[in-house]
Amino acid sequence: MRAITIAEPGGPEQLAWTEVPDPVVAAGEVLIQVTATAVNRADTLQRMGFYQVPPGASPYLGLECSGKIVEVGAGVSGFVPGDEVVALLTGGGYAELVAVPAGQVAPLPNGMAALDAAGLMETLSTVWSNVFMLAGLTAGQTLLVHGGSSGIGTTAIQLAHEFGARVIVTAGSAAKLQACRDLGADVAVNYREEDFVERVREVTDGRGADVILDNMGAAYLDPNVEALAPHGRLMIIGLQGGVKGEVNLNNLLRKWGTISATTVRARSSEEKAQIVAAARDAVWPLIEQGRFRVIVDRVLPVDQAAEAHRVIEDSGHIGKVVLDVAAVRGS
Ligand SMILES: NC(=O)c1ccc[n+]([C@@H]2O[C@H](COP(=O)([O-])OP(=O)(O)OC[C@H]3O[C@@H](n4cnc5c(N)ncnc54)[C@H](OP(=O)(O)O)[C@@H]3O)[C@@H](O)[C@H]2O)c1
């Protein structure tokens, strides 16, 4: 098969569409012929050599895909060759074929195009596991989402809005703030011009946000705790603002607050399967009713993965950048 390989850790120019050995399907896995995959920020870190890839993961980039099952490993039930599916991957999506544990695979949702579905599973699994499973956001509560126009943000806004929460987002431009409002954000804060802590307090009558989904890590650690409501849950999923920060624990303690930091990719296959099953139960009906969609900024052929990484690194996108593998395979 062909896959995007990294010549050596560095810039996007290191990515090349290359002939590589086919993956081998183990017991409990299925082999997917990839239709499309999508770019996640972790891919850009992995390309630069800054991401700790979990042991046993595919050497290739790509945390999600849509495609068609072409082989079923020993002991797998519920899938047969020809099934159209989506998958949460631990790696290997930027390729023509990928082997994945069957629990990380779900049927292509009715009504969703395979190119859009390519960008579904990593963001959905991250948002569902953090905002709903771990933080337990409920109707009537307030969610603050940093980076509201990101792949993660556009997913979190729609789901929180759909489940009856009030949504506050941060973003860095007027166009991105508007996109967030269009998806259901109630309050949109330009982080370049406004102090988000003050704005959160102002729009919650001083109470704060019940749940914060954070991509900034150290840079926002202390202000995020300031912005938490009593019993608030700060869910750190990204470290774009650094790994080491200071926090006033007295603020956290007085609010009975919780700080969580997790990554989906490093979870076991069993945990990933639980997340995929829960997200599927909750979100497939919404997709079928047209109440949730993947926001796709653009689709590029997979052999232009370097260009796709530049778009993500320049933050020139709203939602997901999809890589079309079928277009390059010619099928
Ligand atoms: N832990 C996990 O399992 C997991 C899984 C998936 C993703 N993530 C993390 O989630 C984050 C989003 O991922 P993605 O793939 O959706 O990335 P993405 O589309 O590239 O988005 C990155 C976002 O960061 C925002 N940003 C930059 N500086 C900011 C600031 N000072 N304040 C607020 N927002 C700021 C950007 O907003 P502007 O463009 O408006 O500046 C952009 O929306 C990343 O940090 C990623 O590593 C974690």
Side-chain angles (χ1 to χ4, degrees), residues 41 150-152 172 176 191 215 220 237 240 262 264 315 317:
R41 199 151 271 263
S150 65
I152 290 284
K176 290 184 173 184
Y191 69 79
N215 60 327
Y220 279 6
I237 58 162
Q240 290 169 232
T262 61
V264 169
S315 235
H317 62 295

Side-chain angles (χ1 to χ4, degrees), residues 190-210:
N190 188 329
Y191 69 79
R192 297 182 202 277
E193 295 171 358
E194 299 173 83
D195 178 341
F196 75 82
V197 179
E198 274 178 28
R199 284 282 278 145
V200 168
R201 285 202 184 121
E202 186 186 304
V203 300
T204 58
D205 294 327
R207 200 174 162 274
D210 299 287

Side-chain angles (χ1 to χ4, degrees), residues 1 10 37 55 70 86 108 169 203 235 239 268 270 281 302 325:
M1 71 166 184
T37 183
V70 289
V86 290
L108 179 72
V169 298
V203 300
M235 313 306 288
L239 302 170
S268 68
E270 290 73 22
D281 284 352
V302 71
V325 179

Side-chain angles (χ1 to χ4, degrees), residues 39-42 45 51 63 122-123 126 130 146-153 170-173 176 191-192 214-216 220 236-240 262-265 312-317 319-320:
V39 183
N40 286 279
R41 199 151 271 263
L45 296 175
Y51 195 97
L63 299 176
E122 170 68 10
T123 48
T126 306
N130 278 280
H146 289 300
S149 68
S150 65
I152 290 284
T170 61
S173 74
K176 290 184 173 184
Y191 69 79
R192 297 182 202 277
D214 174 69
N215 60 327
M216 295 305 294
Y220 279 6
I236 299 173
I237 58 162
L239 302 170
Q240 290 169 232
T262 61
T263 164
V264 169
R265 191 178 190 181
I312 292 280
E313 287 175 326
D314 293 347
S315 235
H317 62 295
K320 301 289 295 190

